[in-house]
Amino acid sequence: MSELMTRKHGWILLALGFLSAIIAAKGIESPGYMDADYYYSMGLQWAAGRGGEEPFIWNYLNDPVSIPTTSHGYWSPLTAMLAGLAMRLFGDGFASAQIPFILATALLPFLVWRLALAMGQTSGSAAMAGFLALGPGFYLPFFVTSDAFSVYAILGVVLMLTLKQVSTKKSSVLWLIAGFTCGFAHLSRADGFLLLVIPIWYMISDRERVGKRLAGVILGYLLVMFPWFLRNTFLLNSMLPSGSTRTLWLLSYDEIFQFPVSGLTFERWSQAGLGEILAHRWSALMVILQRIAGENGLVFLGPFMLIGVLRSWKQVIVRCSIAFGAALIIVMVLIFPFVGARGGWFHSSAALMPLLWVMVPVGLEQSVAWVGQRRGWDIPRASTVFRTAAVILALVLTWGLYIFRVYGLGAGGEPWDAPAARYEDVHRIILARDPSPEVIAINNPPGFYHATGVHTVVLPNGGLNALEEVVERYAVSWIVLDRNHPSGYGGLYRQTDSLDGLTYETTVESHGASFILYRVNGNQP
């Protein structure tokens, strides 16, 4: 009877996973923000057989010469490839591009449930872990858009399930699969190589045939990544794009969009002084800790996750996964503090979420037992009540956050699809004045590109002098400013400053935002 009930839980989670993912995806009709815009735009490129080039420039870190430029000089390609494959099979359009991410989101509760069972949890506890993956809090809308979140979470749970098999099946193939999974993680995110911490730590802890196992992991990893390393070497003159390494020397987040990039050097960075450098890293640590509590722990689940980790510390997979999380924090705080605090941790910690969801029922039951013994509770019954209440609260919070985020409820909120609609409005106004605009400078080049098909470059950080250089170098014909313009553009946005070669054309009001349009004299066809 117990086995039948356990299997029933699996089927229920599978069905509800698909239902939840499809409903969540229905409310999102465009990528929504620049990362997802990038992957969708590049998915369109892959679907059209042009995945090797980007028809926009969203940063200048690789010092691109012209448009189009070599693709994936900063972000990894797997997410775009998946979106492109889906559009190749099912037709162009965002709904088709979402399909791989909908599938990943749908499968996640089932796989988390399987992980909980593999880690020795009872049927009820494993079901709770799976239901928590149905209510992933802040992650839900990001899981079903064209971004790496759900794919990364799937890779994390598949790696953990693979390593759990090692204790019962002495097969070298499992280590090859582990390396293969880590390779796909790196192909999906630049920091994905850190997932290698999990199998390497596992084999070191196990101390059995370390050399042979390590060889299997490395072979699996290289089977995925070596072709990409080779491609980067030929096209970008480096195994890893130089654009990513230049972010080591940032002194603010906005310097990701710096032009020219020759100023992003170690010498300039070191001259900022140890105090400023440490202050940036302290600030990043504080932000990441807040993100852990709010986004990963959904506030009320965090303590149970921590107790569950401590309670399960003897399990090797727990220690390995927490080692990965620690390595990720170190990298995000010490090496990439601006990117890490801004969203890098939120992205990459998705791979850790399956384990954290599995830890919640462990921590909850430990807490109920501790309190129940002192209060005289019926502990099994109390555990069931608290498990049910925690799942219901997680689901309510998840869908509440989803509604606020996607439909723009609340102070200062805006609908998820508003940016794409705005770009279409701006494009119509530009076309009325210029039937064939060549290159447009704007805050979000990938977003404007997939909405309009026009080549775009990002408004450069570095003030109006940098803007003049970008306009000349890339033959920019239009400049579009919004309220989130870079520092130094305020006068241009308010039309109190002028710049040689620019003519103010009009202001576009669209979906609660104002866009200031300038035509570049002399760069019209």
Side-chain angles (χ1 to χ4, degrees), residues 387-447:
R387 281 201 304 262
T388 304
V391 167
I392 291 172
L393 183 55
L395 289 170
V396 170
L397 284 173
T398 294
W399 285 98
L401 289 167
Y402 173 90
I403 290 169
F404 272 85
R405 186 66 187 246
V406 173
Y407 297 104
L409 303 182
E414 66 176 35
W416 185 278
D417 297 321
R422 289 169 182 160
Y423 292 149
E424 291 171 0
D425 289 344
V426 169
H427 185 228
R428 278 194 292 270
I429 298 299
I430 290 177
L431 287 179
R433 290 162 168 77
D434 179 1
S436 55
E438 292 293 325
V439 179
I440 294 175
I442 196 166
N443 260 347
N444 180 356

Side-chain angles (χ1 to χ4, degrees), residues 24 32 34 49 60 68 115 151 154 179 214 226 233 251 286 295 302 309 325 337 388 397 412 424 433 445 456 475:
M34 191 166 74
Y60 302 101
L115 178 63
V151 173
I154 287 288
L214 182 61
F226 183 73
T233 301
L251 292 173
M286 292 300 100
E295 293 169 346
V309 166
T388 304
L397 284 173
E424 291 171 0
R433 290 162 168 77
T456 48

Side-chain angles (χ1 to χ4, degrees), residues 59-64 74 242-244 246-247 255-256 261 264:
N59 71 68
Y60 302 101
L61 294 171
N62 286 306
D63 199 17
Y74 185 90
S242 60
S244 299
R246 282 198 174 101
T247 57
E255 288 185 346
I256 290 177
V261 293
L264 299 180

Side-chain angles (χ1 to χ4, degrees), residues 30-298:
S30 66
Y33 56 99
M34 191 166 74
D35 301 36
D37 286 326
Y38 174 86
Y39 292 122
Y40 174 47
S41 296
M42 287 309 301
L44 289 168
Q45 290 292 100
W46 282 102
R50 298 190 298 270
E53 62 181 37
E54 291 180 7
F56 48 79
I57 296 173
W58 76 268
N59 71 68
Y60 302 101
L61 294 171
N62 286 306
D63 199 17
V65 174
S66 61
I67 309 172
T69 187
T70 305
S71 68
H72 304 290
Y74 185 90
W75 279 321
S76 298
L78 180 62
T79 304
M81 288 177 172
L82 291 173
L85 177 61
M87 287 188 282
R88 193 71 178 264
L89 293 174
F90 304 108
D92 286 350
F94 184 66
S96 296
Q98 283 179 288
I99 290 173
F101 313 104
I102 293 171
L103 289 174
T105 304
L107 291 172
L108 194 55
F110 174 81
L111 292 175
V112 168
W113 168 77
R114 290 290 302 168
L115 178 63
L117 290 176
M119 294 178 68
Q121 292 196 13
T122 63
S123 175
S125 294
M128 180 188 179
F131 274 101
L132 290 176
L134 270 173
F138 290 88
Y139 281 104
L140 182 58
F142 298 94
F143 273 173
V144 293
T145 192
S146 50
D147 205 343
F149 287 97
S150 55
V151 173
Y152 212 54
I154 287 288
L155 291 170
V157 71
V158 167
L159 178 60
M160 294 171 197
L161 282 168
T162 301
L163 293 177
K164 282 302 297 180
Q165 295 295 312
V166 168
S167 58
T168 56
K169 298 178 181 179
K170 305 296 182 180
S171 171
S172 299
V173 174
L174 292 173
W175 294 99
L176 188 70
I177 294 172
F180 204 65
T181 305
C182 292
F184 277 114
H186 196 177
L187 203 63
S188 64
R189 283 193 57 79
D191 53 39
F193 72 93
L194 288 174
L195 220 62
L196 285 166
V197 168
I198 296 178
I200 291 174
W201 195 284
Y202 194 105
M203 67 182 71
I204 291 174
S205 300
D206 198 39
R207 297 181 182 179
E208 183 180 340
R209 297 184 297 168
V210 173
K212 186 176 181 180
R213 291 174 169 183
L214 182 61
V217 169
I218 293 174
L219 176 60
Y221 171 79
L222 289 178
L223 282 173
V224 177
M225 285 303 298
F226 183 73
W228 192 250
F229 288 150
L230 202 61
R231 175 262 186 193
N232 288 345
T233 301
F234 278 114
L235 297 182
L236 301 172
N237 300 316
S238 174
M239 272 201 329
L240 298 174
S242 60
S244 299
T245 56
R246 282 198 174 101
T247 57
L248 292 169
W249 317 127
L250 301 181
L251 292 173
S252 71
Y253 179 81
D254 288 344
E255 288 185 346
I256 290 177
F257 313 105
Q258 189 72 21
F259 185 91
V261 293
S262 55
L264 299 180
T265 64
F266 169 76
E267 289 74 23
R268 184 198 68 116
W269 178 81
S270 61
Q271 287 170 6
L274 184 60
E276 182 177 345
I277 290 170
L278 291 178
H280 292 155
R281 279 140 186 82
W282 176 256
S283 177
L285 177 61
M286 292 300 100
V287 171
I288 287 173
L289 290 177
Q290 291 172 33
R291 284 184 173 273
I292 290 172
E295 293 169 346
N296 301 108
L298 207 52

